Amino acid sequence: MRTELHFSANDLALTRFAVSPMQEVVTSLRALAHSPVPALYRRWAGQVRERNAAGPVTERLAALVPPDGHLPDFLNPAPAGFSPSLAEELAAITATSPGQVRADLDILAAEAGGRLPAVLEPLHRDPAGQLPGLAAEIEVYWERALAPYWARIRALLAADVFHRSRQAAEHGTARMLDELHGTVRWDGAALRLERRHCAVTRLNAGAGLLLVPSAFAWPRVLTRVLPPDPPQLSYPARGAATLWERRPDPADRAEALAGVLGRSRARLLAELDAPASTTELARRTGLSAAGVSQHLTALRTAGLTSAHRAGHAVLYARTAVGDSLFEQDGQVFHR
């Protein structure tokens, strides 16, 4: 299916970018729902599943975000600013009108053969009563599957926005729109969207266009048109594949930084290519749990690591600053 999104001069003037935690929640849930998981995300998915034997995805979340088809609009509220927090977006979700929740669920039911999955029936009957619990489930998923990686993901998304903004400044908005994705084409008056699952029209939607880069949207461009919000396009961010690439041996990288950080802290920082708990890091490095905790506290104080609660455990991850000590243009620093 091909569709067009027509623009006025005012729409072009109001085109903006945003980074959305909920966009990453929904698109990453879709990636996990595929069998097999797309190759691009398998390393991330393997790490998430290894840490969560029962899986961080509840039956209700899995039903709301199927591998294909409609994605409920209420799960992706239009970002009010450039970079809303997850808490702000969850607040918008819990404030969704019952009519909008039911409309989204009715589409899911139609695509499933006319019957809504049983796990979603309470949400259809009582959206206002069920949405706070759903928000809590999303928060648990976030803490276990995305929060430990968020500094790295957000840096990638911000870099994409910088690139697109510079492209628009140097070559014009039309060029920037034309190069968003292989299925998106600008013809001077309209944005042509190829191979759409459903039609996209402006209708009574708000003015402008909201562009949301995503680490998990590949290979598609996802659309949201829900009046009175502006039309929204979520597209694969540039360089998303590099987020999950296997990196050089941790011991080699630790050796390069041992003279600066100390051998134990450098080794711990190197081990955090994938988020890990104190117990896991102690097992892998041979350090005592108390020693690991002390070193991690120092690294966190220096802004090199972050901590994220996942159930009864706390997962540590490198921050973007920590990553920068190890790599520059994809190359490892050596003394």
Side-chain angles (χ1 to χ4, degrees):
M1 177 183 296
R2 186 175 79 176
T3 189
E4 295 180 355
L5 192 61
H6 289 271
F7 279 76
S8 66
N10 187 53
D11 291 322
L12 285 176
L14 293 175
T15 295
R16 66 182 179 92
F17 289 90
V19 171
S20 166
M22 275 306 304
Q23 188 65 245
E24 302 311 290
V25 167
V26 171
T27 52
S28 64
L29 281 168
R30 170 150 284 183
L32 284 174
H34 277 278
S35 182
V37 172
L40 181 64
Y41 308 121
R42 284 177 194 164
R43 187 164 184 258
W44 163 79
Q47 292 172 7
V48 170
R49 287 170 174 163
E50 183 179 351
R51 292 196 304 267
N52 303 276
V57 183
T58 66
E59 186 181 359
R60 179 159 58 173
L61 280 177
L64 276 172
V65 186
D68 295 290
H70 180 67
L71 291 173
D73 287 327
F74 78 87
L75 289 180
N76 283 126
F82 172 70
S83 184
S85 67
L86 178 69
E88 289 171 328
E89 294 197 312
L90 290 178
I93 289 172
T94 57
T96 305
S97 70
Q100 179 57 50
V101 175
R102 292 189 178 108
D104 277 320
L105 296 180
D106 288 342
I107 295 173
L108 289 177
E111 292 186 347
R115 184 172 180 81
L116 193 66
V119 71
L120 296 181
E121 290 177 357
L123 182 59
H124 194 280
R125 287 195 302 269
D126 181 20
Q130 293 288 315
L131 284 175
L134 176 63
E137 291 173 18
I138 292 170
E139 191 167 16
V140 169
Y141 172 78
W142 170 268
E143 289 298 328
R144 296 183 180 184
L146 292 176
Y149 305 93
W150 183 239
R152 189 179 297 178
I153 292 172
R154 194 185 183 287
L156 176 89
L157 303 181
D160 181 274
V161 171
F162 176 81
H163 169 79
R164 309 287 179 185
S165 300
R166 181 172 178 176
Q167 190 177 44
E170 293 181 352
H171 304 289
T173 303
R175 168 89 166 264
M176 180 272 291
L177 291 172
D178 197 44
E179 295 188 6
L180 278 177
H181 190 265
T183 64
V184 178
R185 289 289 178 268
W186 172 253
D187 72 358
L191 206 59
R192 296 180 182 274
L193 308 175
E194 307 284 347
R195 301 195 295 277
R196 305 304 308 147
H197 171 72
C198 57
V200 178
T201 55
R202 184 173 293 275
L203 296 177
N204 296 319
L209 177 67
L210 182 57
L211 299 172
V212 183
S214 172
F216 291 93
W218 183 89
R220 302 174 178 176
V221 168
L222 305 176
T223 56
R224 177 185 188 272
V225 179
L226 186 66
D229 298 331
Q232 178 175 313
L233 264 62
S234 178
Y235 61 91
R238 299 172 71 252
T242 64
L243 279 174
W244 320 115
E245 287 179 345
R246 188 169 297 279
R247 305 186 182 193
D249 183 79
D252 293 341
R253 291 183 290 164
E255 188 65 29
L257 289 171
V260 177
L261 298 177
R263 190 167 300 279
S264 295
R265 290 176 186 175
R267 175 67 189 280
L268 288 170
L269 198 61
E271 290 288 343
L272 290 176
D273 259 355
S277 66
T278 300
T279 302
E280 175 64 14
L281 290 169
R283 183 188 67 77
R284 287 181 352 211
T285 62
L287 299 170
S288 69
V292 169
S293 180
Q294 181 179 9
H295 290 313
L296 288 173
T297 297
L299 291 170
R300 186 180 180 189
T301 300
L304 302 179
T305 65
S306 56
H308 309 272
R309 180 159 295 281
H312 297 297
V314 174
L315 298 178
Y316 291 86
R318 276 206 311 262
T319 63
V321 176
D323 280 341
S324 71
L325 292 179
F326 284 85
E327 297 181 10
Q328 182 174 354
D329 297 328
Q331 301 298 316
V332 180
F333 284 131
H334 290 284
R335 289 182 297 175

